[in-house]
Amino acid sequence: MSQKIDAAAAIRLLDAGRAVAVDVREPDEYAVGHIPGAKLLPLGQVLSRAGEVLPDRNAPWLIYCRTGRRSADAVQKLESLGYTDLYDLGGILSWPYEIEGDFEGHF
């Protein structure tokens, strides 16, 4: 089952170690800036690599992209693979907390 989650609730889960962020953008976008500790699983690889990158289908995963479109698609694909605890965080553009990467103040 999946649900939408806002940044404030997401950061509480991440800080408590109760969830892991998953970036479904492309590697070059991830390199520019991502949520600290986020795993990279590009949308085009969700069906083929989810089991490798996200081995626990019952763990809480926070799925995000740039604006929210790809994260919603990724959540549907992960649900079809049997993932049970998914949170659609939407886009990193609305993430008000720390970002790590090689960005220069823009995405």
Side-chain angles (χ1 to χ4, degrees):
M1 181 176 149
S2 67
Q3 57 187 309
K4 291 290 268 178
I5 190 170
D6 65 19
I11 196 74
R12 285 192 297 273
L13 287 175
L14 293 170
D15 285 349
R18 295 181 45 216
V20 175
V22 180
D23 192 321
V24 296
R25 298 174 300 156
E26 294 301 310
D28 60 321
E29 294 174 285
Y30 180 87
V32 169
H34 56 272
I35 294 173
K39 293 179 175 280
L40 175 63
L41 179 61
L43 179 60
Q45 298 176 13
V46 168
L47 293 176
S48 62
R49 295 192 59 227
E52 167 193 340
V53 179
L54 314 176
D56 186 347
R57 293 176 195 261
N58 298 310
W61 302 107
L62 301 174
I63 313 300
Y64 74 92
C65 59
R66 184 172 182 268
T67 62
R69 187 171 293 136
R70 286 177 281 183
S71 66
D73 192 8
V75 164
Q76 287 185 328
K77 289 178 179 183
L78 289 166
E79 284 180 325
S80 77
L81 294 172
Y83 286 82
T84 62
D85 197 3
L86 301 170
Y87 294 89
D88 185 352
L89 182 53
I92 194 171
L93 290 180
S94 60
W95 183 252
Y97 306 107
E98 180 184 359
I99 301 285
E100 65 182 22
D102 299 327
F103 63 98
E104 295 176 10
H106 65 279
F107 285 81

